[in-house]
Amino acid sequence: MPPGALHHRVTAALANWQLDDAERLLSVVDPSTPYEAPAGAGHPGTDDRDEPALGRAWADTLRAELLVRRLRVAGFTLVGDPLDAPEATEALDLHAGVAGLLDRAHGQGHGQGHGQGHGQGTGQDGGTGDDARSESAAHAALAIALVRSAKAAFDASDDDLQRAAGLARHARIELLSRRVDAAMDEAVEAASLLDPGLPPSALLVDTLGTLAGVLADLELMPLALDYQRRALETATAAADAGVLDGDADPDVLAAHAATCLGELCAELGEALLDDGDPDAALPRFADARALAERALARLPPDAGGIVAAQVVHGWALVGLGEHAAATGQLRAAVRITSATGDRALLASALLALGRALRRQDDGRGADRQLAKALSLATEHGLPRLRRAALRELCTLHAELDDAGRALPYLQAYLADELDRVDERRTRWVELFGRRKSLLENERAAGQLRRQAYEDPLTHLPNRRYAEARLDGLLGAGTTPALAVVDVDRFKAINDAVGHPGGDAVLRAVAELLLAGCRDTDEVCRWAGDEFVVLLPDTTAEQAERALERVRRAVAAHDWAALGLTVPVTISVGIASATRGDDRRTLFAAADGVLYDAKRSGRDRVVRLSAVTQTRAPAAATDDETLPPAERPAGVVDVPPVQTSPMDPVGGFAALLAQPPGRPADPPLSLGGPDEPSLAPEPTPAAPPARPAPAEPDVIWGVGRSTEQVLALVRETRAAHPDRPALVVRASADTLVALAGAYDGSTTVDAAAMSAAVGPVPDPAGRVGVLCASTADASVAAEAAFVARVTGTEVVRVDDVGGSRLRPLLTDRTLLDDVDCLVVVAGLDASLAGTVGAMTDVPIVAVPTSTGQPGSFGGFGALLTMLNSATPGVVVSNIDNGHAAGVFAARIARRTAR
């Protein structure tokens, strides 16, 4: 994946703008398989039927690129800028949405054919402007739909290399669409997935090369060289080790990578010559010559890459001053590529030949070749070749003292250069590394979350996840059922088969629980031999039937394979929530009936009725009418527990209160001093007013070792057990150590690099956190986490800076339904004032140190915020998400009173 022959043939046809050929090849691809042509189609591909979704994603990606190239030929881009179209032509704007574009296509149904028969004529000859526009709108809508579908499939894959390969191809599509910011984002994410430890493969070489080409088009030439050099090293290592997959020819693959690297070296040499530094340019041309000769030595005589290597070799000779030797070689390359129709390679050969002729003082011949190169580069969207041809033509006519002809070329070249050095581009070299680092941190945070919320033995969610999920279900107003499952006599099992055997039993029970539950149910390991099952929107009776099936499956399982002579059984207690129940109350109710099941003989399911709040036997409805002697083994008579009349709300809290006039029952216990009990706590006649939650004590992780942070947390928890200890700016190792040391009492947010150890107060009030861009995300995450731990509900909206403010304007929920707003911004520091003018909610503005070197470490953002005339905005100090979170939480809590 992607397969060899067919994939490369389609890719080559697209690169050469042979769009009808590419469409013909794609028409025989079965979308349910990875580019495999149907039998007899004559286009062999790689049959990898285990990943049909990725196969469809690759096919969709190629079809999308085909449609985008057809749009370019028709004179449109995907961002609203017509290419060489008449001024009256209305530009296509994909921001109008896919549905809108399809509606505007006049119902002509072009989207189903993937552009059949459109050729080169759309919008240029034959057909009215309206027809061309509607056809292009349908193409644009279908292209964006295909890209979205493919991206979703790649995102769902666990294979980082597949995802990186797809992202690199999508970045190229975005460049063709002139969506340079989107292309940059795709390239950054692809780069972040290409771990240096990935094993050599043809797909890795192809992905590295594609990414290098995208980076070169983005004018990030040093990065492009690094990735292309890595592609060559990977191809050479794979070829030498004989580990290439599929039908890839190792020599051809390594030669192609060497040719591409040589082309980049020659291009960099030309840039150095233009900058007036010939001494620095000569080593680059020497490298290009050596790489081309290396490629030619590896390639078989009939290989298709020979001409490309000869073009690079001739270009290098021109740079080294060997013009006569280069001219013949380049003329031959022009003849061959003119016959084969390889447009990009023909443009490159014409450009190199024009350079050679210009430097041999053949002005007329040079002008003819360079003009052809410029025409091809402009027609087929080759921006680097276009700029180089314009520069050569301008220089040529200046040397010939023909100012009239030199001036138009100079103006076009300057226009391209101004676009190239746009302010966005000047930030990219700096932001590339920053964004890549942020993505890697987010990925590490996801891994940390998995570690924090996953049980390592069974790979089920752990107790921390179960508590958070149950809180979420109850907080959303749903009525879940909760089943607490305990393995009967597990100590005896451990004694019989040892701890490794006991671990195998727990894994088997986990698998049986998963197999017996619905997809919407969640099975978690609570602790030791105890599991819980969360069943959303489920009654106790429905949960009972499901867990009864599981109980029978566990008892009937073949446990002899694990060395056990007696079957393993489970006991289950079930409770279903009603209004007014919280997590602790619901779990206490389910845990209580679990102990009823164990005291009544084990291997049974006991439920607590959600209607009467009484404990009910585990039998099915038909069995409840049978006499006790005839009931199945899972049925037990349990005395009912009535709801307390002192509880006006209802729910399971009644089980924890003592009804008036009734002597206290002895605590339900298994006899051990450490066993849990349902003994009621004394209830005061008039509970005091609930105090405001105490704010957590903060511990800064910066400059401290993990051991020092753990020691400070222990001291803080001992001094203030009623409030959490808040750790901010901690390393990933420290967060993992905290999660392991305090287990269920630790709340971790890896994106914020923060953790809270201890009870988090119930939320009062609501805080909104706005983040201007991804570069500010870590500070925004810290502010949001601190506000939540300090005792408020928090909602976040990211990436709303600049022109991306539209979601706030269309949906004012965040602006109107919060008690305080935190606005985090660096480059977009004016965002705080803009938002302040849109709402009367108090705002805490947090400047960040991200951005250009001219921002002076956030000082520029700080001055912008301080100088804002918008009322209702206070300003925190630079990068201080902690202070902003505490301040916003204080406002929200007081407002909620």
Side-chain angles (χ1 to χ4, degrees):
M1 278 281 294
L6 183 57
H7 168 78
H8 291 301
R9 290 175 64 184
V10 175
T11 298
L14 290 172
N16 297 331
W17 295 85
Q18 297 165 335
L19 305 186
D20 291 336
D21 290 343
E23 186 168 347
R24 179 178 53 80
L25 291 169
L26 282 170
S27 67
V28 298
V29 175
D30 179 359
S32 65
T33 61
Y35 296 153
E36 187 186 27
H43 303 296
T46 298
D47 188 1
D48 186 359
R49 298 181 186 275
D50 293 335
E51 299 185 49
L54 284 176
R56 183 182 294 274
W58 277 109
D60 286 349
T61 298
L62 291 179
R63 289 190 173 101
E65 184 173 341
L66 170 64
L67 292 169
V68 170
R69 288 179 183 270
R70 286 207 183 279
L71 284 169
R72 289 297 299 265
V73 171
F76 295 101
T77 70
L78 299 188
V79 291
D81 300 324
L83 293 176
D84 302 325
E87 292 184 2
T89 301
E90 184 183 356
L92 286 171
D93 184 6
L94 280 193
H95 297 292
V98 175
L101 286 169
L102 286 173
D103 290 342
R104 294 163 66 186
H106 306 303
Q108 296 183 12
H110 301 290
Q112 299 298 324
H114 303 302
Q116 287 119 324
H118 300 307
Q120 304 285 326
T122 306
Q124 293 176 357
D125 48 41
T128 66
D130 287 343
D131 290 339
R133 176 171 179 76
S134 61
E135 186 173 35
S136 297
H139 282 174
L142 182 57
I144 203 170
L146 289 171
V147 168
R148 285 176 178 173
S149 172
K151 284 182 178 179
F154 285 124
D155 288 343
S157 173
D158 293 330
D159 189 333
D160 284 349
L161 179 54
Q162 288 287 342
R163 291 177 60 200
L167 285 164
R169 289 301 293 255
H170 289 157
R172 188 157 71 185
I173 293 174
E174 299 290 10
L175 278 178
L176 285 167
S177 309
R178 289 195 171 180
R179 290 163 49 90
V180 288
D181 285 333
M184 180 65 180
D185 290 336
E186 303 280 13
V188 170
E189 189 170 355
S192 70
L193 290 167
L194 292 174
D195 190 283
L198 287 171
S201 66
L203 180 57
L204 178 58
V205 175
D206 180 75
T207 304
L208 289 166
T210 302
L211 184 58
V214 169
L215 292 170
D217 283 340
L218 289 170
E219 302 299 333
L220 304 178
M221 192 59 74
L223 288 170
L225 281 169
D226 288 343
Y227 279 94
Q228 188 59 52
R229 189 172 289 110
R230 183 177 162 189
L232 175 58
E233 293 168 354
T234 303
T236 304
D240 294 343
V243 295
L244 281 181
D245 50 0
D247 54 2
D249 185 314
D251 288 328
V252 171
L253 194 68
H256 176 70
T259 300
C260 292
L261 181 58
E263 183 178 7
L264 291 177
C265 289
E267 191 171 341
L268 187 57
E270 288 292 342
L272 291 169
L273 281 179
D274 292 334
D275 292 340
D277 193 354
D279 293 337
L282 287 176
R284 296 295 184 179
F285 286 117
D287 289 343
R289 177 179 184 174
L291 287 164
E293 291 172 349
R294 176 178 172 181
L296 290 168
R298 274 188 175 268
L299 287 169
D302 57 344
I306 288 180
V307 177
Q310 288 175 338
V311 170
V312 173
H313 190 259
W315 187 359
L317 292 177
V318 173
L320 294 170
E322 301 178 27
H323 305 135
T327 302
Q329 187 172 339
L330 291 171
R331 287 189 186 278
V334 168
R335 285 195 301 273
I336 295 171
T337 51
S338 297
T340 60
D342 191 331
R343 309 293 178 82
L345 185 57
L346 175 59
S348 182
L350 287 168
L351 178 61
L353 179 59
R355 284 193 180 103
L357 294 174
R358 179 178 72 80
R359 294 170 191 180
Q360 294 180 82
D361 298 325
D362 183 356
R364 179 175 298 178
D367 181 59
R368 185 167 56 252
Q369 306 301 331
L370 292 172
K372 291 178 182 177
L374 175 61
S375 176
L376 280 172
T378 302
E379 179 183 358
H380 298 304
L382 305 171
R384 288 149 52 210
L385 282 174
R386 171 182 160 84
R387 281 194 295 272
L390 286 170
R391 187 172 57 238
E392 289 291 332
L393 283 164
C394 178
T395 303
L396 169 66
H397 291 290
E399 291 173 348
L400 296 174
D401 292 327
D402 189 351
R405 296 194 63 187
L407 183 59
Y409 293 125
L410 176 61
Q411 291 171 333
Y413 174 72
L414 290 177
D416 278 17
E417 279 293 290
L418 288 175
D419 179 64
R420 182 174 69 90
V421 297
D422 181 89
E423 180 184 355
R424 293 173 302 179
R425 302 283 184 92
T426 62
R427 302 201 312 255
W428 282 354
V429 174
E430 174 192 351
L431 290 182
F432 186 91
R434 187 183 296 277
R435 289 184 184 179
K436 182 170 178 286
S437 177
L438 282 172
L439 283 170
E440 290 169 347
N441 288 341
E442 289 175 6
R443 198 163 288 110
Q447 184 177 2
L448 182 61
R449 290 190 188 97
R450 286 193 297 274
Q451 293 172 351
Y453 288 110
E454 184 180 284
D455 171 52
L457 175 65
T458 62
H459 299 294
L460 294 175
N462 61 11
R463 175 174 178 166
R464 185 182 295 110
Y465 173 86
E467 289 179 337
R469 178 66 175 140
L470 194 53
D471 282 338
L473 290 172
L474 294 170
T478 61
T479 56
L482 174 68
V484 181
V485 182
D486 189 83
V487 180
D488 295 329
R489 297 183 176 89
F490 186 68
K491 183 178 184 303
I493 294 173
N494 266 337
D495 293 341
V497 295
H499 287 288
D503 291 345
V505 168
L506 291 176
R507 285 193 290 267
V509 170
E511 292 172 1
L512 291 167
L513 284 168
L514 286 171
C517 293
R518 303 167 300 183
D519 291 341
T520 54
D521 302 333
E522 296 182 83
V523 181
C524 308
R525 187 183 179 198
W526 190 258
D529 60 334
E530 198 166 63
F531 300 83
V532 296
V533 183
L534 311 179
L535 302 100
D537 294 317
T538 306
T539 65
E541 290 79 4
Q542 292 169 332
E544 176 191 14
R545 288 193 290 271
L547 270 298
E548 179 61 26
R549 288 195 301 270
V550 174
R551 183 194 66 77
R552 289 196 294 265
V554 171
H557 187 70
D558 180 15
W559 296 105
L562 297 179
L564 293 169
T565 58
V566 295
V568 174
T569 60
I570 59 174
S571 298
V572 184
I574 298 173
S576 181
T578 60
R579 190 173 65 86
D581 293 321
D582 60 15
R583 166 172 50 88
R584 295 177 180 85
T585 307
L586 181 58
F587 181 81
D591 202 39
V593 289
L594 168 66
Y595 282 116
D596 286 343
K598 296 181 78 70
R599 289 166 57 186
S600 303
R602 298 182 174 87
D603 188 19
R604 64 197 66 233
V605 178
V606 178
R607 64 174 169 83
L608 196 66
S609 171
V611 177
T612 63
Q613 300 298 316
T614 59
R615 300 179 190 176
T621 304
D622 293 340
D623 296 325
E624 292 175 356
T625 62
L626 298 175
E630 300 179 20
R631 294 185 187 180
V635 182
V636 59
D637 288 315
V638 181
V641 178
Q642 299 299 328
T643 307
S644 169
M646 295 181 63
D647 181 10
V649 178
F652 294 124
L655 298 175
L656 306 183
Q658 180 63 34
R662 176 181 172 183
D665 291 329
L668 293 176
S669 171
L670 294 185
D674 296 327
E675 293 291 339
S677 170
L678 287 180
E681 295 291 337
T683 304
R690 175 176 153 187
E695 290 181 353
D697 294 312
V698 63
I699 299 166
W700 294 88
V702 178
R704 290 192 171 108
S705 66
T706 298
E707 291 74 17
Q708 289 172 327
V709 172
L710 288 172
L712 289 171
V713 169
R714 283 194 297 271
E715 293 175 9
T716 302
R717 294 291 295 126
H720 303 287
D722 61 330
R723 67 183 70 172
L726 174 61
V727 181
V728 296
R729 310 288 173 90
S731 66
D733 291 340
T734 300
L735 295 179
V736 172
L738 286 169
Y742 293 94
D743 195 28
S745 61
T746 305
T747 305
V748 178
D749 188 329
M753 300 309 291
S754 303
V757 181
V760 176
D762 293 333
R766 200 172 192 223
V767 170
V769 179
L770 296 180
C771 176
S773 70
T774 54
D776 309 310
S778 60
V779 179
E782 180 180 284
F785 182 77
V786 170
R788 172 64 190 93
V789 172
T790 307
T792 62
E793 180 187 354
V794 178
V795 290
R796 273 186 67 184
V797 178
D798 292 338
D799 203 20
V800 295
S803 61
R804 300 179 300 280
L805 199 59
R806 186 178 301 172
L808 292 181
L809 299 174
T810 56
D811 180 7
R812 295 186 53 86
T813 302
L814 184 66
L815 299 180
D816 297 335
D817 293 347
V818 296
D819 302 305
C820 186
L821 275 170
V822 178
V823 179
V824 183
L827 284 172
D828 297 298
S830 60
L831 177 63
T834 302
V835 174
M838 298 164 57
T839 180
D840 59 355
V841 173
I843 292 175
V844 186
V846 186
T848 71
S849 56
T850 60
Q852 301 176 1
S855 65
F856 302 104
F859 188 67
L862 176 63
L863 288 179
T864 299
M865 292 179 175
L866 289 173
N867 287 325
S868 172
T870 305
V873 180
V874 297
V875 182
S876 171
N877 51 333
I878 298 170
D879 290 336
N880 198 340
H882 167 261
V886 171
F887 185 81
R890 288 178 179 176
I891 293 176
R893 289 204 316 265
R894 293 187 65 85
T895 304
R897 292 181 189 176

